[in-house]
Amino acid sequence: ISSTFPFESKFVDVHGSKMHYVEEGHGNVVLFLHGNPASCYIWRNIIPHVSKGSRAIAVDLIGMGKSDKPDIGYHYDDHSRYVEGFVEALGLKDITLVIQDWGSLIGFRYAHEHEANVRGIAFMEASVRPLNFKDMPLDTRIMLPVVRTFPFGYLLIQVGNIFLSKLLHEMTLRKLAKEEIAAYNAPFPTIKSRKPVAQFPLEVPFDGKPVKNHSTVAGYSEWLKVTQMPKLFLKFSPGVLINKDMAAWIEKSLPNITTVDCGAGKHFVQEDDPDLIGQEIVAWMSATQSKKK
């Protein structure tokens, strides 16, 4: 698995800040949305598969990667607003979304609110419905209430850098190379720079809170159960966000879904089997597009 990032950095102005992205290939638009504490770097070994026949675009969420870090709250609504602005700034139409972790909360929401502009959704380790603490693995159940409480979250994530120094490694099966670790760490050299990383866990709706975010996720979850939009579910075991029970619910509840059992994986699955992910996305896009014709 390559640690190199052989893409030209591009920037576009969104709401007065620069958002960083990379773009490869031509054809139908495929937009990759990463999660926390990652950047578009996580898609580096998947993009080459997809860009052979499509226009693959991977963006750094605002405050993440090489995107600017404006003085904002980094709430769920903020991230959605910046991704919407990014899509508008580049004039992206008829998008296929490829999403994981926080990219899924932003991506599913975008698809729900802009259904006419999305042709399909490929997801892995995603948040398909509001979460409950009881559904989480034990270590997550112990950690989450702590990082969602001030000042512990601030001390552990912003000061202690636990997401990059610990969680990224624990939730990836293979051992990351030192070049890869350096690439993930590069955007967050200071306590202040880690504010977006620390805010994400506060924004995830668990057991109905925060109420507004719970309502947004519940809304797109209900929509996912009825929309005929093509969906690709890349299933990994044991997973973190999508465990065995959640996977069964997805396969039973979401229409027009293709499920691929990708084997072993925890959360940052792009680092464990990027070639399989890339190949399966291409195969699914080819199959769904030929059906459309």
Side-chain angles (χ1 to χ4, degrees):
I1 292 175
S2 174
S3 62
T4 57
F5 190 72
F7 310 110
E8 178 197 346
S9 285
K10 297 187 173 186
F11 295 88
V12 64
D13 189 83
V14 179
H15 304 310
S17 293
K18 293 273 186 289
M19 288 187 78
H20 171 256
Y21 68 102
V22 297
E23 178 177 351
E24 293 282 310
H26 303 277
N28 291 325
V29 174
V30 181
L31 179 61
F32 295 83
L33 298 176
H34 69 83
N36 189 31
S39 65
C40 65
Y41 179 79
I42 203 166
W43 302 112
R44 69 195 178 282
N45 291 306
I46 298 167
I47 291 167
H49 292 280
V50 176
S51 64
K52 283 174 189 161
S54 305
R55 182 185 174 196
I57 298 172
V59 63
D60 285 339
L61 300 178
I62 195 69
M64 308 292 282
K66 293 176 183 169
S67 288
D68 282 352
K69 297 185 194 304
D71 186 15
I72 58 173
Y74 294 98
H75 302 297
Y76 187 5
D77 286 352
D78 294 321
H79 285 288
S80 289
R81 193 167 68 90
Y82 277 85
V83 167
E84 282 180 358
F86 176 81
V87 169
E88 286 168 19
L90 290 188
L92 305 180
K93 304 287 182 204
D94 207 19
I95 300 162
T96 297
L97 291 166
V98 179
I99 56 179
Q100 181 257 348
D101 186 78
W102 259 99
S104 72
L105 286 100
I106 297 161
F108 284 138
R109 176 182 185 171
Y110 180 86
H112 181 206
E113 294 176 358
H114 304 270
E115 190 167 358
N117 203 33
V118 179
R119 68 187 296 154
I121 309 171
F123 65 92
M124 63 215 85
E125 268 300 289
S127 188
V128 290
R129 68 180 191 195
L131 295 166
N132 296 305
F133 276 116
K134 65 178 173 53
D135 298 328
M136 291 290 100
L138 182 60
D139 53 356
T140 309
R141 279 199 311 248
I142 293 165
M143 183 205 66
L144 261 170
V146 176
V147 299
R148 282 161 74 98
T149 307
F150 187 83
F152 304 113
Y154 170 79
L155 291 170
L156 284 167
I157 302 173
Q158 279 192 248
V159 180
N161 202 20
I162 189 176
F163 268 56
L164 287 144
S165 65
K166 195 167 187 305
L167 282 189
L168 181 65
H169 303 274
E170 288 181 354
M171 293 188 179
T172 307
L173 288 181
R174 73 180 178 91
K175 191 176 187 325
L176 295 174
K178 65 177 188 296
E179 297 84 3
E180 293 166 327
I181 295 166
Y184 279 114
N185 276 309
F188 306 111
T190 62
I191 292 170
K192 188 180 177 188
S193 69
R194 294 177 206 130
K195 180 183 174 181
V197 179
Q199 189 61 35
F200 274 123
L202 305 180
E203 297 293 313
V204 184
F206 274 103
D207 294 338
K209 291 175 184 170
V211 173
K212 189 178 180 190
N213 295 357
H214 173 88
S215 167
T216 300
V217 174
Y220 75 58
S221 186
E222 289 303 310
W223 170 76
L224 283 170
K225 291 194 286 190
V226 295
T227 179
Q228 288 299 316
M229 185 179 289
K231 305 164 201 72
L232 172 64
F233 169 32
L234 297 161
K235 178 166 73 171
F236 288 83
S237 301
V240 175
L241 282 179
I242 300 180
N243 59 16
K244 200 168 146 190
D245 292 342
M246 187 73 82
W249 181 86
I250 289 167
E251 291 174 63
K252 185 182 87 209
S253 307
L254 306 194
N256 200 10
I257 191 161
T258 303
T259 301
V260 178
D261 193 333
C262 298
K266 286 188 179 177
H267 185 59
F268 297 104
V269 294
Q270 304 98 312
E271 289 295 0
D272 283 318
D273 213 338
D275 290 331
L276 179 62
I277 292 169
Q279 289 156 8
E280 292 296 345
I281 291 168
V282 170
W284 165 74
M285 285 177 64
S286 173
T288 52
Q289 278 158 25
S290 62
K291 269 188 214 163
K292 264 192 158 179
K293 288 171 194 166

